Amino acid sequence: MKVSIIGAGNVGATCAQFIAMKGIVSEIVLLDIAEGLAAGKAMDLAQSMPALGFDTLIYPEVDDYSKTANSEVIVVTSGQPRKPGMSREELVAVNVSIVESVIKNAIKFSPKAVFVIVTNPLDTMTLVALKASGLPKNKIIGMGTILDSNRFRYFLSKKLQKPINEIEAMVIGGHGDTTMIPIKELATYKGIPISEILTNEAFEEVIKETMVGGATLTKLLGTSAWYGPGAAVTELVDTIVNDKKKLMPNSVYLQGEFGIDGVCIGVPCIIGKHGVEGILEIKLSDSDKIKFINSANAIKEVNGLI
Ligand SMILES: NC(=O)C1=CN([C@@H]2O[C@H](COP(=O)(O)OP(=O)(O)OC[C@H]3O[C@@H](n4cnc5c(N)ncnc54)[C@H](O)[C@@H]3O)[C@@H](O)[C@H]2O)C=CC1
Ligand SMILES: O=C([O-])CC(=O)C(=O)O
């Protein structure tokens, strides 16, 4: 089993690290256009294996896609990250041509792969990938709201002072500071609705922290995050490769679901070896329905720039 990661920067290399450490596949190809970067990261990672007890083969490549041939999954982490003070949407002009060229190169050698898109602005880049690939929509998955959901769980765990793994929560909508929608009704602690435990004011604070979670990290780090993103991609890749049929929110192309047409946006979907194997049209509150429509319209506006 082979996974190729295109873009060996902070997020791509962390994906390689976590995927290797979890032993999800036997081979990882780490490709970048920057001379030396993929080679250095792959060598460094390989030298960590004896101490940590894993032995995935990691092949570095500089722009030679033939080595990615017959990958089960292609992860696209190539492109610029934002700097403090920027929105993700401001990256659209610089990243659109990168994603287009990466997809066109990768698909020549792995026409059956499922593509996981990570580059921002995520929902627009997922649409760019869908169009550039010509693949059926189930093969193109944008990873954003898995990460947002994990951040929602983190801020809830901090507020409640409870272990994060006892908390379930989901974010849908766009992967943007103003477009994501943390769903109150689905947040639970040990199965108990968190709305029964937290005051409305405290819950709203958590929602605000979640929505700017990526921006907060970007301000602290001077560039955007990588551990949370790398872990979320790893969970998604594991779900695809091992055909887990798991319910997880991802950006997928909608054609009428939730009353939305022609955009990629985060919705709960069943993920397995064929990629998106179903979309679950959960019942939204009236206010979340409005937020979802506004989110889709905001994504459409950015899509208009490509
Ligand atoms: N969807 C999500 O949840 C998240 C998305 N991101 C996005 O992921 C992208 C990557 O972020 P980082 O890894 O932090 O950036 P980075 O700058 O550390 O790495 C990006 C890498 O892409 C490479 N690259 C650029 N053009 C390329 C091409 N044509 N072919 C191959 N490689 C190419 C660069 O040489 C660089 O090594 C950014 O757009 C960022 O906004 C980051 C975190 C989370
Ligand atoms: O914040 C960013 O620009 C990177 C990203 O998408 C995230 O960490 O959620």
Side-chain angles (χ1 to χ4, degrees):
M1 287 262 200
K2 189 200 279 186
V3 167
S4 292
I5 301 168
I6 319 297
N10 285 334
V11 179
T14 309
C15 293
Q17 180 188 1
F18 290 165
I19 292 169
M21 286 179 73
K22 290 204 82 176
I24 295 169
V25 288
S26 51
E27 285 176 61
I28 297 173
V29 177
L30 190 57
L31 186 151
D32 203 286
I33 43 163
E35 193 76 41
L37 186 72
K41 297 258 177 119
M43 194 187 288
D44 194 13
L45 192 48
Q47 291 168 2
S48 74
M49 290 184 196
L52 294 173
F54 62 96
D55 55 13
T56 308
L57 294 167
I58 303 177
Y59 299 106
E61 286 307 326
V62 186
D63 229 15
D64 178 1
Y65 283 79
S66 66
K67 303 289 167 34
T68 67
N70 303 318
S71 296
E72 262 77 18
V73 180
I74 306 269
V75 179
V76 179
T77 48
S78 41
Q80 274 189 25
R82 63 173 158 168
K83 295 259 184 298
M86 284 173 76
S87 70
R88 295 177 181 89
E89 289 76 14
E90 285 175 73
L91 298 167
V92 69
V94 66
N95 284 344
V96 67
S97 55
I98 296 176
V99 170
E100 255 168 13
S101 74
V102 163
I103 295 289
K104 284 184 177 155
N105 282 320
I107 202 160
K108 280 185 221 153
F109 296 96
S110 299
K112 293 187 179 153
V114 173
F115 285 74
V116 170
I117 312 305
V118 184
T119 310
N120 275 315
L122 189 269
D123 303 286
T124 298
M125 290 304 130
T126 306
L127 184 69
V128 167
L130 179 68
K131 286 185 176 170
S133 69
L135 286 174
K137 61 182 181 173
N138 60 299
K139 293 293 190 106
I140 307 286
I141 309 175
M143 195 300 294
T145 38
I146 299 176
L147 172 61
D148 300 331
S149 302
N150 289 340
R151 287 189 178 138
F152 192 19
R153 292 169 70 185
Y154 166 78
F155 287 115
L156 283 167
S157 83
K158 258 185 79 185
K159 187 68 86 187
L160 292 168
Q161 301 211 334
K162 299 288 182 199
I164 192 166
N165 288 313
E166 292 178 351
I167 290 167
E168 295 297 335
M170 193 188 281
V171 174
I172 63 165
H175 180 59
D177 297 342
T178 57
T179 55
M180 70 181 73
I181 307 161
I183 303 181
K184 269 185 169 176
E185 292 77 6
L186 295 181
T188 57
Y189 165 65
K190 287 187 168 176
I192 305 161
I194 290 178
S195 53
E196 290 176 12
I197 309 170
L198 275 184
T199 63
N200 196 42
E201 200 186 2
F203 216 148
E204 289 302 326
E205 261 172 41
V206 168
I207 286 176
K208 277 194 193 124
E209 287 178 302
T210 302
M211 293 177 73
V212 296
T216 301
L217 285 163
T218 303
K219 201 170 162 195
L220 290 168
L221 297 166
T223 184
S224 55
W226 53 89
Y227 295 120
V233 169
T234 300
E235 190 189 2
L236 179 54
V237 169
D238 188 22
T239 304
I240 299 165
V241 166
N242 289 309
D243 196 22
K244 289 193 168 171
K245 318 281 188 209
K246 199 148 95 182
L247 181 69
M248 46 199 346
N250 285 291
S251 185
V252 300
Y253 189 69
L254 297 191
Q255 287 179 302
E257 298 90 346
F258 291 92
I260 301 293
D261 209 40
V263 280
C264 295
I265 184 168
V267 291
C269 35
I270 307 291
I271 302 293
K273 68 178 175 191
H274 302 295
V276 182
E277 299 188 359
I279 292 175
L280 194 68
E281 287 193 64
I282 51 171
K283 197 169 156 26
L284 298 177
S285 67
D286 287 346
S287 81
D288 283 348
K289 271 185 205 157
I290 294 167
K291 286 182 191 166
F292 195 78
I293 292 166
N294 290 341
S295 182
N297 286 338
I299 294 167
K300 271 187 190 162
E301 234 171 83
V302 183
N303 293 349
L305 303 172
I306 59 177

